[in-house]
Amino acid sequence: NCEMPELLIEVARAYTPAGAEERRANVWSRGAYVLESARVLRANAVGLSLETTVARRGRNDKEVAVADVPWISGVAAADDDGLQRELLQIANALGRPRDGAALLQLAIGRGGWRLPRNWRLNATPHPRPVREKFYTDVFKALSAALRMADCPARLRVTVKPPELNQAMDVYRGSTLLEMIREISILLATQGPALDPASLLDSPAALARLAEATPRGLNVRVCVQASMGQGVMTGLPLAISGLRKTMEMMDWKAAAGERLEGLLGSSGEESGLQSGRLFEGDADERAAGG
């Protein structure tokens, strides 16, 4: 309640009767109905219980109401880690992904997450251990999504340390390519990482887990193909040299190598065997483009 009051108000606006009433009452006169605050009374396996405080124009007293907000995933949060994941999903659904860092710092589940103090992110290029920590975190997050039974066909990963933030003057495209290479090779060789919390002591459970463990995926990293025809053929400036740069890197994907066919271009036939296919793509454009 103290750490994230703005997020709780947005949750109340989106998922409680008070939020619906605020939208209706303010259609003709903005400020006639103001949702001033919201706080969590309790959180359990099925959702949140919110207490909202509302001020109406012309009235001195405040209206207080209590409403239940079910988890948007429709799945019960079995433990504190599940509760944290549900809160992250709500923040993303409300278009507030930046609140994710604050949610991870809450003392629930495996909370208390902090960036190490000795990372020195103002030094560019970042030291390799720092870059690898970001790559590992992205791989774990992507693995968790790919392990889900209802994983959508298209995913988007947002990661913006200084070297991957195109709005900053220290943006480094080679860091983006290095991250894509490391994650692609891991997915192609060993598949999505397992959740350590799912490793049980029971031999039978471990045997079932081993049988269900995903093997290497069919991975293809795609670069946008040339657009237009004839003299109008070309690519956006931001990616015009991207394919050449990628081909200079070691992807273990040359003819005859283990990951042959890993690199591709959007629009071309995959040429891969049937089965699970993970196709990687990355936005590479100037900030504001």
Side-chain angles (χ1 to χ4, degrees):
N1 291 325
C2 298
E3 297 289 339
M4 317 195 69
E6 295 181 357
L7 176 61
L8 292 178
I9 290 177
E10 292 301 319
V11 172
R13 284 188 172 132
Y15 300 113
T16 68
E21 177 64 17
E22 182 185 45
R23 291 190 294 273
R24 187 195 65 78
N26 292 334
V27 169
W28 300 109
S29 180
R30 190 183 182 101
Y33 185 105
V34 179
L35 207 165
E36 289 189 338
S37 65
R39 69 188 187 96
V40 177
L41 297 179
R42 61 181 177 274
N44 52 35
V46 296
L48 298 173
S49 180
L50 290 183
E51 180 186 84
T52 58
T53 303
V54 172
R56 289 181 182 267
R57 182 184 296 158
R59 297 185 185 179
N60 294 327
D61 58 326
K62 305 293 179 66
E63 297 180 9
V64 178
V66 177
D68 292 329
V69 179
W71 299 128
I72 59 177
S73 68
V75 179
D79 51 22
D80 288 346
D81 289 328
L83 172 62
Q84 191 175 65
R85 285 193 295 271
E86 295 294 341
L87 292 172
L88 289 169
Q89 286 190 32
I90 289 177
N92 286 329
L94 294 174
R96 299 176 63 94
R98 293 186 179 183
D99 289 326
L103 287 171
L104 288 172
Q105 293 177 31
L106 296 178
I108 57 176
R110 303 172 194 172
W113 178 85
R114 294 287 192 282
L115 282 174
R117 294 183 178 274
N118 61 346
W119 270 22
R120 299 179 182 177
L121 293 179
N122 59 329
T124 54
H126 298 331
R128 185 167 185 82
V130 173
R131 299 200 308 272
E132 289 179 343
K133 179 63 170 63
F134 282 118
Y135 304 163
T136 300
D137 286 347
V138 172
F139 176 64
K140 288 180 178 179
L142 189 56
S143 296
L146 292 173
R147 287 197 308 267
M148 295 175 61
D150 58 347
C151 177
R154 186 174 180 85
L155 302 173
R156 179 174 182 174
V157 177
T158 301
V159 52
K160 288 189 176 181
E163 283 189 8
L164 294 177
N165 189 344
Q166 297 176 2
M168 302 186 71
D169 58 357
V170 294
Y171 173 72
R172 187 168 176 259
S174 57
T175 300
L176 174 65
L177 296 180
E178 185 180 54
M179 180 182 70
I180 294 173
R181 179 184 65 181
E182 297 300 321
I183 294 173
S184 300
I185 291 177
L186 284 173
L187 288 175
T189 55
Q190 68 183 49
L194 288 173
D195 182 2
S198 65
L199 298 178
L200 307 176
D201 294 330
S202 168
L206 286 174
R208 291 195 302 270
L209 187 62
E211 293 176 359
T213 299
R215 304 304 179 188
L217 301 181
N218 291 330
V219 179
R220 195 166 184 81
V221 179
C222 295
V223 183
Q224 181 175 322
S226 296
M227 300 181 297
Q229 296 180 351
V231 295
M232 302 302 294
T233 300
L235 282 171
L237 181 61
I239 62 173
S240 59
L242 188 61
R243 178 57 183 254
K244 183 173 180 62
T245 302
M246 293 174 69
E247 289 177 347
M248 294 171 62
M249 299 168 63
D250 181 16
W251 293 77
K252 299 179 175 56
E257 290 190 315
R258 180 182 181 185
L259 301 179
E260 179 181 355
L262 181 66
L263 293 180
S265 296
S266 60
E268 69 175 334
E269 295 297 329
S270 67
L272 299 177
Q273 298 177 358
S274 60
R276 293 168 301 186
L277 173 66
F278 179 82
E279 184 168 324
D281 194 0
D283 290 336
E284 176 77 18
R285 59 170 68 91

